[in-house]
Amino acid sequence: MAKRKIALLGGTFDPVHLGHTAVASDAAGRIAAEKVIFVPAKRSPLKGSLPKADDEHRLVMIAIAIAENSSFDVSDYELRKPAPSYTLQTVRKFQADYGSDAVICWLVGADGVNDLQHWFAIEELIDACNLCTMYRAGCEPPDFAGFEGIWGRQRVQKLQRNIIKTPLVDISSTEIRERLAAGGDLADMLHPGVLDYIRKNKLYL
């Protein structure tokens, strides 16, 4: 009997945008995941600065953005922990929650491939879950061949098997924040409820 698949999508989501939800939905379909859980980080270990919006605002915006999709959920697990968040610890938490009959898949964008070698206990993470790398606009297709000498052939083959050809959605949170500050139009980038929440709470000005 095939194990159920639970996908986790981490990030600062500052703010969450239509690119996040589009690729999450597509990835879930391609790997047959029954659920995608958005896991906002308090702060990325590889980023020196904190997110522009505070934890509660980012959590609420994700809840608004995913409310219409019953296969989406959000977890405040990393927000409740002292920063920074380590992916391996989060994966272990969800493995404990869902038990041995579930496979945990961690979704990562192609723009993060070269950073993976700096992740905490990366080899243990590759072994512990399915690290699924998604295509991203403006980035080369994911390729892990160059890491064979570091992580070994089996780990690289596992990473290569878990590459997902998601649609190339050219949206970034950085561009959104810049447009918001300049008073630009964001209807094609943000869920209308998220945009409304940002304006009501005067975020990113």
Side-chain angles (χ1 to χ4, degrees), residues 27-190:
R30 290 175 188 272
I31 64 175
E34 67 177 57
K35 181 178 288 191
V36 179
I37 304 173
F38 289 68
V39 188
K42 186 174 285 289
R43 177 176 68 81
S44 166
L46 300 181
K47 293 180 180 177
S49 58
L50 288 167
K52 304 298 182 187
D54 69 26
D55 297 351
E56 186 61 31
H57 284 313
R58 291 184 293 122
L59 194 65
V60 171
M61 286 189 284
I62 294 170
I64 293 169
I66 68 173
E68 295 152 22
N69 191 325
S70 60
S71 64
F72 284 174
D73 204 350
V74 61
S75 169
D76 64 353
Y77 171 71
E78 292 194 355
L79 297 180
R80 290 185 282 104
K81 294 181 63 186
S85 307
Y86 293 113
T87 301
L88 179 62
Q89 296 168 345
T90 303
V91 165
R92 293 294 192 207
K93 177 259 195 285
F94 283 96
Q95 285 175 330
D97 286 352
Y98 283 94
S100 59
D101 68 331
V103 173
I104 300 298
C105 304
W106 185 273
L107 304 177
V108 63
D111 55 321
V113 166
N114 289 328
D115 286 337
L116 285 175
Q117 59 190 311
H118 305 298
W119 283 29
F120 172 76
I122 182 59
E123 291 187 1
E124 192 176 344
L125 177 65
I126 296 168
D127 294 341
C129 70
N130 284 355
L131 198 61
C132 300
T133 311
M134 304 178 293
Y135 277 47
R136 178 156 185 176
C139 298
E140 291 294 317
D143 183 9
F144 295 95
F147 295 101
E148 190 170 315
I150 307 172
W151 299 331
R153 180 176 296 177
Q154 284 189 319
R155 290 191 182 97
V156 166
Q157 287 176 341
K158 184 180 181 182
L159 289 166
Q160 296 283 81
R161 284 196 305 271
N162 288 317
I163 291 172
I164 311 172
K165 293 183 179 180
T166 44
L168 302 179
V169 182
D170 194 9
I171 304 176
S172 77
S173 294
T174 301
E175 181 185 357
I176 287 170
R177 293 194 300 269
E178 289 172 353
R179 280 207 200 182
L180 284 165
D185 179 36
L186 288 145
D188 59 338
M189 292 185 168
L190 293 172

